[in-house]
Amino acid sequence: MPQTRVVVVGSANMDLVGTAPALPRVGETVLGTDFVMVPGGKGANQAIAAVRAGASCAFLGAIGSDAFGVTLRARITAAGVDTSQLRVTYGPSGVALVMVNADGENQILVTPGANASLTGLTAAELAAVRDADVMVAQLEIPVETVTEAAVAARSAGTRFVLNAAPARQVPQELLDLVDLLVVNEVEATALTGRGRAAPEALLDLAPRAVLTLGAQGAWYVDRDGPATHVPAVTVDVVDSTAAGDAFTAALAVAWGEGRDLLDAVRWAAAAGAACTRRLGASVALPHRAEIDELHAR
């Protein structure tokens, strides 16, 4: 089988992750237990996850001129991602402050840094989009940039998977270019005003959609048939921070390989579950063998 070519257009952040028995309430300080600093950002995570899932992947993003940027480039490149088009912008890199409780639930604050400078895609960047089988993008970078990349993808027949995260309004111009929409309950509510009770509402936005619900699994919907529920794979959860990124990347890889989309969602669910078994974002992303092992259950 030819290796699927994925291009990811998105963010790169340094994740500062602290764990504690419980997440703090407003105005409260809690005593933590552990701290790790790992590369993250939804774009970088999904690019690394795509490579580990078996694809070749180019990453279009921006890092800062600070020490975090040096580390981000080194780690993303070492993971096997093509970073030849990764921009360096004078100033700070994106940073995510992540708090994780004993149940693996999290709260995340992201400061965009260099990610906000990813505008006006170059000819080489647009060529990378056109050369791919599947393009994946998120909303941690300017939405105008995502739209520009999506136009290029549509012109070349590159499938476009939009992970509409974080939750925000998406312009109709961009939605009209989406082939497959991936959202969680919060993001679905932001887009449609309706959450898990109405996954079919997502079909007003895109021809195919996946609504992820964490431990409650996921719903797959398209305009050709009824909604289908895909159960979650049961594992011992340590940290769910990058589970959605592992899911989205694996879904894109499986679709690019020609799998039936419902089976691709099941394989992606296994990838998301595998990711929750370790602390951190990019370091927790599963390899193909791990995904296959959980999918075989």
Side-chain angles (χ1 to χ4, degrees):
M1 180 194 311
Q3 190 176 36
T4 296
R5 297 168 299 170
V6 174
V7 62
V8 175
V9 184
S11 59
N13 300 320
M14 185 59 73
D15 288 355
L16 310 179
V17 185
T19 62
L23 298 173
R25 295 167 292 187
V26 175
E28 180 185 19
T29 298
V30 300
L31 186 63
T33 52
D34 292 294
F35 172 79
V36 293
M37 185 172 70
V38 294
K42 297 193 74 63
N45 286 345
Q46 291 176 15
I48 294 171
V51 169
R52 292 185 178 178
S56 65
C57 183
F59 177 48
L60 308 184
I63 54 176
S65 57
D66 55 1
F68 284 166
V70 174
T71 301
L72 285 167
R73 177 185 287 279
R75 295 285 187 87
I76 298 168
T77 303
V81 177
D82 177 359
T83 57
S84 60
Q85 300 298 326
L86 181 59
R87 300 183 186 184
V88 179
T89 301
Y90 182 77
S93 299
V95 173
L97 308 177
V98 185
M99 296 179 289
V100 184
N101 69 12
D103 296 322
E105 298 172 327
N106 60 65
Q107 293 176 342
I108 305 174
L109 170 67
V110 177
T111 57
N115 296 304
S117 72
L118 187 63
T119 58
L121 295 177
T122 66
E125 290 168 336
L126 293 172
V129 170
R130 297 188 185 102
D131 289 343
D133 298 309
V134 184
M135 183 187 88
V136 181
Q138 324 78 33
L139 300 176
E140 287 184 337
I141 59 173
V143 70
E144 297 82 7
T145 304
V146 178
T147 303
E148 185 180 6
V151 169
R154 177 59 59 88
S155 72
T158 300
R159 292 172 174 173
F160 173 33
V161 178
L162 177 64
N163 178 205
R168 58 191 289 188
Q169 290 300 308
V170 180
Q172 190 62 47
E173 178 187 9
L174 177 56
L175 289 171
D176 289 343
L177 297 166
V178 174
D179 295 306
L180 174 60
L181 179 67
V182 181
V183 290
N184 65 19
E185 185 175 7
V186 173
E187 295 147 7
T189 301
L191 288 173
T192 69
R194 306 167 75 182
R196 72 175 62 193
E200 295 89 351
L202 295 170
L203 295 178
D204 292 335
L205 310 177
R208 308 165 194 84
V210 178
L211 172 62
T212 62
L213 298 172
Q216 282 71 53
W219 284 94
Y220 171 69
V221 292
D222 62 37
R223 292 172 181 169
D224 295 325
T228 303
H229 181 253
V230 175
V233 180
T234 302
V235 296
D236 293 327
V237 176
V238 174
D239 179 10
S240 63
T241 299
D245 296 332
F247 180 101
T248 300
L251 178 61
V253 172
W255 195 24
E257 290 177 348
R259 296 196 192 203
D260 172 81
L261 256 175
L262 184 55
D263 184 55
V265 173
R266 294 190 179 103
W267 198 67
C275 185
T276 67
R277 298 188 291 191
R278 290 183 290 275
L279 179 66
S282 59
V283 294
L285 297 167
H287 292 269
R288 190 177 185 101
E290 298 176 76
I291 303 171
D292 285 341
E293 184 270 327
L294 286 181
H295 181 247
R297 293 186 183 181

